[in-house]
Amino acid sequence: MAHGFSVEAFQARLGTRYVGRRFSYYEHIPSTQDAARQEAEQGAAEGTTILAVQQTAGRGRLGRQWVSPPGANLYFSVVLRPAAEHLRKLGMIWPMAICQAVGEVTGLSAQVKWPNDVLVGPRKLAGVLVDSEFSGARVDYAIVGIGLNVNFDISAHEEIREIATSISAELGREVAREELLATLLNRFEDLYEAARRGQPVHLGWKAHLDILGRPIRVKYREGVEQGIAEDVEPDGTLILRRHDGSHVRIEAGEVTLKG
Ligand code: BTN
């Protein structure tokens, strides 16, 4: 497998106005999230994208590690400068864009596990990490980091092989990361611009959610809530109906499906 990533092949397929137009590429780096933050602090334009072939300290949500071996996958972070009202939408738009791009390039049907994991069947294909920095009430910048398992032999990684998957594992063949990344950034920019024009992005995201109407368990704040995932609000908040009929609104948490 070629470890390199062809920037030319990627750029040839990129159809965006600004997302991915400023592009930095590293063979290896601790985390693209930190590199993107540094660029944002120095005034990098919206859409600036940092890609690494390998991360030596890739991180996921909730302080977890993100397994980032060389060459097989996509690890990248994008600098965005949304208005505060659009910040929470990033956690819906990115997983939607991933589902659309994966569908378009591979034909695989991916779903969103609330709030923003992307799954194929029961296994995780991609994760989204949103970090943000404010100046008072204004968003200075957001850094969105995406890890997407593409041509990854999960069976070699015992710690995640039961819970994770990759495109090649699902498809039985490898796909070009360049085409996938360009398609994903194309889809993202369309959805992001639609959100900025005031279109309700949560409806498309909701259509990809796999939990609605199903019994779930959510680790939330210091405790655990159980019940039926009844609905989601336009900002992504989950409405859970407990077994006693009462409702609880959950803004962020870790969901497990219960059958
Ligand atoms: C999750 O826990 O689901 C989010 C995973 C985010 C991983 C990506 S890989 C590129 C970027 N750099 C990091 O260190 N993390 C994000």
Side-chain angles (χ1 to χ4, degrees):
M1 184 203 325
H3 280 184
F5 176 93
S6 164
V7 177
E8 294 72 30
F10 157 68
Q11 284 171 338
R13 288 171 173 79
L14 190 66
T16 56
R17 273 199 305 118
Y18 57 92
V19 176
R21 290 287 162 195
R22 280 210 41 201
F23 187 78
S24 307
Y25 166 89
Y26 294 87
E27 284 295 331
H28 54 82
I29 196 174
S31 161
T32 58
Q33 205 70 355
D34 300 334
R37 177 178 286 272
Q38 269 177 22
E39 295 225 5
E41 289 286 346
Q42 288 160 15
E46 186 167 53
T48 296
T49 299
I50 315 287
L51 177 100
V53 167
Q54 176 184 14
Q55 296 185 118
T56 50
R59 59 174 194 275
R61 286 172 63 220
L62 310 169
R64 295 188 182 129
Q65 179 206 5
W66 187 261
V67 177
S68 309
N73 299 325
L74 285 170
Y75 318 112
F76 65 97
S77 298
V78 182
V79 177
L80 295 166
R81 299 188 184 274
E85 67 194 279
H86 297 313
L87 179 63
R88 282 203 68 183
K89 296 178 190 166
L90 295 177
M92 296 187 257
I93 297 173
W94 276 106
M96 250 201 295
I98 296 170
C99 289
Q100 290 183 1
V102 166
E104 198 173 315
V105 174
T106 71
L108 287 172
S109 169
Q111 288 201 299
V112 178
K113 182 177 154 217
W114 184 90
N116 51 27
D117 285 349
V118 176
L119 311 190
V120 174
R123 297 200 167 81
K124 182 157 163 172
L125 180 74
V128 176
L129 180 67
V130 184
D131 293 332
S132 51
E133 199 62 44
F134 284 79
S135 298
R138 193 176 61 81
V139 178
D140 209 359
Y141 57 83
I143 308 292
V144 183
I146 313 284
L148 171 54
N149 296 334
V150 187
N151 300 320
F152 186 26
D153 180 8
I154 302 274
S155 64
H157 291 266
E158 202 174 328
E159 71 280 25
I160 54 170
R161 73 176 164 214
E162 295 305 322
I163 54 168
T165 190
S166 66
I167 287 179
S168 60
E170 297 294 330
L171 218 54
R173 65 177 166 83
E174 299 200 339
V175 300
R177 285 169 298 155
E178 295 83 353
E179 182 185 2
L180 196 56
L181 180 62
T183 308
L184 171 49
L185 299 187
N186 294 345
R187 294 286 73 79
F188 170 76
E189 189 177 280
D190 286 348
L191 292 166
Y192 186 43
E193 286 301 306
R196 286 173 145 175
R197 288 193 301 271
Q199 288 183 20
V201 288
H202 79 286
L203 294 175
W205 170 75
K206 185 173 166 179
H208 280 104
L209 279 182
D210 68 346
I211 57 169
L212 293 182
R214 297 174 69 178
I216 59 167
R217 185 173 186 275
V218 194
K219 279 198 210 154
Y220 172 55
R221 297 191 174 150
E222 298 307 301
V224 170
E225 291 281 354
Q226 299 200 55
I228 304 292
E230 197 163 85
D231 204 357
V232 281
E233 295 182 345
D235 71 352
T237 300
L238 173 68
I239 317 274
L240 183 85
R241 189 176 77 243
R242 297 189 183 104
H243 298 305
D244 66 5
S246 64
H247 288 89
V248 57
R249 298 174 69 254
I250 301 181
E251 281 140 27
E254 186 77 358
V255 168
T256 320
L257 278 170
K258 289 188 65 204

CSV table of all heavy atoms in Angstrom, one decimal, residues 30-34 55 57-62 64-66 68 74-77 116-117 124 126-129 144-148, ligand 1:
chain,number,residue,atom,x,y,z
A,30,PRO,N,2.4,15.1,15.7
A,30,PRO,CA,1.7,14.5,16.9
A,30,PRO,C,0.2,14.5,16.6
A,30,PRO,O,-0.5,13.5,16.7
A,30,PRO,CB,2.1,15.5,18.0
A,30,PRO,CG,3.4,16.0,17.6
A,30,PRO,CD,3.4,16.1,16.1
A,31,SER,N,-0.4,15.7,16.3
A,31,SER,CA,-1.9,15.7,16.1
A,31,SER,C,-2.2,16.9,15.1
A,31,SER,O,-1.7,18.0,15.4
A,31,SER,CB,-2.6,15.9,17.4
A,31,SER,OG,-3.9,16.4,17.2
A,32,THR,N,-3.0,16.6,14.1
A,32,THR,CA,-3.3,17.7,13.2
A,32,THR,C,-4.2,18.8,13.9
A,32,THR,O,-4.2,20.0,13.5
A,32,THR,CB,-4.2,17.2,12.0
A,32,THR,OG1,-5.3,16.6,12.5
A,32,THR,CG2,-3.4,16.3,11.1
A,33,GLN,N,-4.8,18.4,15.0
A,33,GLN,CA,-5.6,19.3,15.8
A,33,GLN,C,-4.8,20.4,16.3
A,33,GLN,O,-5.2,21.6,16.3
A,33,GLN,CB,-6.3,18.5,16.9
A,33,GLN,CG,-7.6,19.1,17.4
A,33,GLN,CD,-8.8,19.0,16.4
A,33,GLN,OE1,-8.6,18.6,15.2
A,33,GLN,NE2,-9.9,19.4,16.8
A,34,ASP,N,-3.6,20.1,16.9
A,34,ASP,CA,-2.7,21.1,17.4
A,34,ASP,C,-2.1,22.0,16.4
A,34,ASP,O,-2.0,23.2,16.5
A,34,ASP,CB,-1.6,20.4,18.2
A,34,ASP,CG,-2.2,19.6,19.4
A,34,ASP,OD1,-3.3,19.9,19.8
A,34,ASP,OD2,-1.5,18.6,19.8
A,55,GLN,N,-0.3,10.2,12.7
A,55,GLN,CA,-0.3,11.0,13.9
A,55,GLN,C,0.3,10.2,15.0
A,55,GLN,O,0.0,9.0,15.2
A,55,GLN,CB,-1.7,11.4,14.3
A,55,GLN,CG,-2.4,12.3,13.3
A,55,GLN,CD,-3.8,12.8,13.9
A,55,GLN,OE1,-4.0,13.9,14.1
A,55,GLN,NE2,-4.6,11.8,14.2
A,57,ALA,N,0.3,11.3,18.2
A,57,ALA,CA,-0.5,11.5,19.4
A,57,ALA,C,-1.9,11.9,19.0
A,57,ALA,O,-2.4,12.9,19.6
A,57,ALA,CB,0.2,12.6,20.3
A,58,GLY,N,-2.5,11.2,18.1
A,58,GLY,CA,-3.9,11.5,17.7
A,58,GLY,C,-4.8,11.3,18.9
A,58,GLY,O,-4.7,10.4,19.6
A,59,ARG,N,-5.8,12.2,19.0
A,59,ARG,CA,-6.7,12.1,20.1
A,59,ARG,C,-8.2,12.2,19.7
A,59,ARG,O,-8.5,12.8,18.6
A,59,ARG,CB,-6.4,13.2,21.2
A,59,ARG,CG,-6.5,14.6,20.7
A,59,ARG,CD,-6.3,15.5,21.9
A,59,ARG,NE,-6.7,16.8,21.5
A,59,ARG,CZ,-5.9,17.7,20.9
A,59,ARG,NH1,-4.7,17.4,20.7
A,59,ARG,NH2,-6.4,18.9,20.6
A,60,GLY,N,-9.0,11.5,20.4
A,60,GLY,CA,-10.4,11.5,20.2
A,60,GLY,C,-11.2,12.3,21.2
A,60,GLY,O,-10.6,13.0,22.0
A,61,ARG,N,-12.5,12.1,21.2
A,61,ARG,CA,-13.3,12.8,22.2
A,61,ARG,C,-13.1,12.2,23.6
A,61,ARG,O,-12.6,11.0,23.7
A,61,ARG,CB,-14.8,12.6,21.9
A,61,ARG,CG,-15.3,13.4,20.7
A,61,ARG,CD,-16.7,13.0,20.3
A,61,ARG,NE,-17.7,13.3,21.3
A,61,ARG,CZ,-18.7,12.5,21.7
A,61,ARG,NH1,-18.8,11.4,21.0
A,61,ARG,NH2,-19.5,12.8,22.6
A,62,LEU,N,-13.4,12.9,24.6
A,62,LEU,CA,-13.4,12.4,26.0
A,62,LEU,C,-12.0,12.0,26.4
A,62,LEU,O,-11.8,11.0,27.1
A,62,LEU,CB,-14.4,11.3,26.2
A,62,LEU,CG,-15.8,11.5,25.7
A,62,LEU,CD1,-16.7,10.3,25.7
A,62,LEU,CD2,-16.5,12.6,26.6
A,64,ARG,N,-9.8,10.4,24.8
A,64,ARG,CA,-9.3,9.1,24.3
A,64,ARG,C,-8.2,9.3,23.2
A,64,ARG,O,-8.1,10.3,22.6
A,64,ARG,CB,-10.4,8.3,23.7
A,64,ARG,CG,-11.5,8.0,24.7
A,64,ARG,CD,-12.5,7.0,24.1
A,64,ARG,NE,-13.5,6.7,25.1
A,64,ARG,CZ,-14.8,6.9,25.0
A,64,ARG,NH1,-15.3,7.2,23.8
A,64,ARG,NH2,-15.7,6.6,25.9
A,65,GLN,N,-7.5,8.2,23.0
A,65,GLN,CA,-6.5,8.1,21.9
A,65,GLN,C,-7.2,7.9,20.6
A,65,GLN,O,-8.3,7.2,20.6
A,65,GLN,CB,-5.5,7.0,22.2
A,65,GLN,CG,-4.4,6.8,21.2
A,65,GLN,CD,-3.9,5.4,21.2
A,65,GLN,OE1,-4.4,4.5,21.9
A,65,GLN,NE2,-2.9,5.2,20.4
A,66,TRP,N,-6.7,8.4,19.5
A,66,TRP,CA,-7.2,8.0,18.2
A,66,TRP,C,-6.1,7.3,17.4
A,66,TRP,O,-5.1,7.8,17.1
A,66,TRP,CB,-7.7,9.2,17.4
A,66,TRP,CG,-8.4,8.9,16.1
A,66,TRP,CD1,-7.8,8.8,14.8
A,66,TRP,CD2,-9.7,8.4,16.0
A,66,TRP,NE1,-8.8,8.4,13.9
A,66,TRP,CE2,-9.9,8.1,14.6
A,66,TRP,CE3,-10.8,8.2,16.9
A,66,TRP,CZ2,-11.2,7.7,14.1
A,66,TRP,CZ3,-12.0,7.8,16.4
A,66,TRP,CH2,-12.2,7.5,15.0
A,68,SER,N,-3.8,6.1,14.9
A,68,SER,CA,-3.5,6.8,13.7
A,68,SER,C,-2.2,6.3,13.0
A,68,SER,O,-1.2,7.0,12.8
A,68,SER,CB,-3.2,8.3,14.0
A,68,SER,OG,-4.2,8.8,14.8
A,74,LEU,N,-7.6,8.7,6.8
A,74,LEU,CA,-7.5,10.1,6.7
A,74,LEU,C,-7.6,10.7,8.1
A,74,LEU,O,-8.4,10.3,8.9
A,74,LEU,CB,-8.8,10.6,5.9
A,74,LEU,CG,-8.8,10.4,4.4
A,74,LEU,CD1,-10.2,10.7,3.8
A,74,LEU,CD2,-7.7,11.3,3.8
A,75,TYR,N,-6.6,11.6,8.4
A,75,TYR,CA,-6.5,12.3,9.6
A,75,TYR,C,-6.3,13.8,9.2
A,75,TYR,O,-5.3,14.1,8.7
A,75,TYR,CB,-5.3,11.9,10.5
A,75,TYR,CG,-5.0,10.4,10.6
A,75,TYR,CD1,-3.9,9.9,10.0
A,75,TYR,CD2,-5.9,9.6,11.2
A,75,TYR,CE1,-3.6,8.5,10.0
A,75,TYR,CE2,-5.7,8.2,11.2
A,75,TYR,CZ,-4.5,7.7,10.6
A,75,TYR,OH,-4.3,6.4,10.7
A,76,PHE,N,-7.3,14.6,9.5
A,76,PHE,CA,-7.2,16.0,9.1
A,76,PHE,C,-8.0,16.9,10.1
A,76,PHE,O,-8.9,16.4,10.7
A,76,PHE,CB,-7.6,16.2,7.7
A,76,PHE,CG,-9.0,16.0,7.4
A,76,PHE,CD1,-9.9,17.0,7.3
A,76,PHE,CD2,-9.5,14.7,7.1
A,76,PHE,CE1,-11.3,16.8,7.0
A,76,PHE,CE2,-10.8,14.4,6.8
A,76,PHE,CZ,-11.7,15.5,6.8
A,77,SER,N,-7.6,18.2,10.1
A,77,SER,CA,-8.3,19.2,10.9
A,77,SER,C,-8.5,20.4,10.0
A,77,SER,O,-7.7,20.8,9.2
A,77,SER,CB,-7.5,19.6,12.1
A,77,SER,OG,-7.3,18.4,12.9
A,116,ASN,N,-22.1,12.5,17.0
A,116,ASN,CA,-21.4,12.7,15.8
A,116,ASN,C,-20.4,11.6,15.3
A,116,ASN,O,-19.6,11.9,14.6
A,116,ASN,CB,-20.8,14.1,15.7
A,116,ASN,CG,-19.9,14.3,17.0
A,116,ASN,OD1,-19.4,13.4,17.5
A,116,ASN,ND2,-19.8,15.6,17.3
A,117,ASP,N,-20.6,10.4,15.8
A,117,ASP,CA,-19.8,9.3,15.3
A,117,ASP,C,-20.5,8.8,14.0
A,117,ASP,O,-21.7,8.9,13.8
A,117,ASP,CB,-19.8,8.1,16.3
A,117,ASP,CG,-19.0,8.3,17.5
A,117,ASP,OD1,-18.2,9.3,17.5
A,117,ASP,OD2,-19.0,7.5,18.4
A,124,LYS,N,-17.7,1.6,14.3
A,124,LYS,CA,-17.3,3.0,14.0
A,124,LYS,C,-16.4,3.2,12.8
A,124,LYS,O,-15.3,2.5,12.8
A,124,LYS,CB,-16.7,3.6,15.3
A,124,LYS,CG,-16.4,5.1,15.2
A,124,LYS,CD,-16.3,5.7,16.5
A,124,LYS,CE,-15.6,7.0,16.6
A,124,LYS,NZ,-15.7,7.7,17.9
A,126,ALA,N,-15.8,6.6,11.5
A,126,ALA,CA,-15.2,7.9,11.6
A,126,ALA,C,-15.6,8.6,12.8
A,126,ALA,O,-16.7,8.4,13.4
A,126,ALA,CB,-15.6,8.7,10.4
A,127,GLY,N,-14.8,9.5,13.3
A,127,GLY,CA,-15.1,10.3,14.5
A,127,GLY,C,-14.8,11.8,14.2
A,127,GLY,O,-14.0,12.1,13.3
A,128,VAL,N,-15.5,12.6,14.9
A,128,VAL,CA,-15.4,14.1,14.7
A,128,VAL,C,-15.1,14.7,16.0
A,128,VAL,O,-15.8,14.5,17.0
A,128,VAL,CB,-16.8,14.6,14.1
A,128,VAL,CG1,-16.7,16.1,14.0
A,128,VAL,CG2,-17.1,14.0,12.8
A,129,LEU,N,-14.1,15.6,16.1
A,129,LEU,CA,-13.8,16.3,17.3
A,129,LEU,C,-13.8,17.8,17.0
A,129,LEU,O,-13.2,18.3,16.1
A,129,LEU,CB,-12.3,15.9,17.7
A,129,LEU,CG,-11.7,16.5,18.9
A,129,LEU,CD1,-12.4,15.9,20.1
A,129,LEU,CD2,-10.2,16.1,19.0
A,144,VAL,N,-12.1,21.6,13.6
A,144,VAL,CA,-12.8,20.3,13.5
A,144,VAL,C,-11.8,19.3,13.0
A,144,VAL,O,-11.2,19.4,11.9
A,144,VAL,CB,-14.0,20.4,12.6
A,144,VAL,CG1,-14.8,19.1,12.6
A,144,VAL,CG2,-14.9,21.5,13.0
A,145,GLY,N,-11.6,18.2,13.8
A,145,GLY,CA,-10.7,17.1,13.5
A,145,GLY,C,-11.5,15.9,13.1
A,145,GLY,O,-12.5,15.5,13.8
A,146,ILE,N,-11.1,15.3,12.0
A,146,ILE,CA,-11.8,14.1,11.5
A,146,ILE,C,-10.8,13.0,11.4
A,146,ILE,O,-9.8,13.1,10.8
A,146,ILE,CB,-12.4,14.3,10.0
A,146,ILE,CG1,-13.2,15.7,9.9
A,146,ILE,CG2,-13.3,13.1,9.6
A,146,ILE,CD1,-14.5,15.7,10.5
A,147,GLY,N,-11.2,11.9,11.9
A,147,GLY,CA,-10.5,10.6,11.7
A,147,GLY,C,-11.4,9.7,10.9
A,147,GLY,O,-12.5,9.4,11.4
A,148,LEU,N,-11.0,9.2,9.7
A,148,LEU,CA,-11.8,8.4,8.9
A,148,LEU,C,-11.0,7.1,8.5
A,148,LEU,O,-10.0,7.3,7.8
A,148,LEU,CB,-12.3,9.2,7.7
A,148,LEU,CG,-13.1,8.5,6.6
A,148,LEU,CD1,-14.3,7.7,7.1
A,148,LEU,CD2,-13.5,9.5,5.6
B,1,BTN,C1,-13.7,10.8,18.2
B,1,BTN,O1,-13.3,10.5,19.4
B,1,BTN,O2,-14.6,10.1,17.7
B,1,BTN,C2,-13.1,11.9,17.5
B,1,BTN,C3,-11.9,11.5,16.7
B,1,BTN,C4,-11.1,12.6,16.0
B,1,BTN,C5,-9.8,12.1,15.4
B,1,BTN,C6,-9.2,13.1,14.5
B,1,BTN,S1,-7.9,12.5,13.6
B,1,BTN,C7,-7.5,14.2,13.0
B,1,BTN,C8,-7.6,15.0,14.3
B,1,BTN,N1,-6.4,15.0,15.0
B,1,BTN,C9,-6.6,14.5,16.2
B,1,BTN,O3,-5.7,14.3,17.1
B,1,BTN,N2,-7.8,14.1,16.4
B,1,BTN,C10,-8.6,14.4,15.2
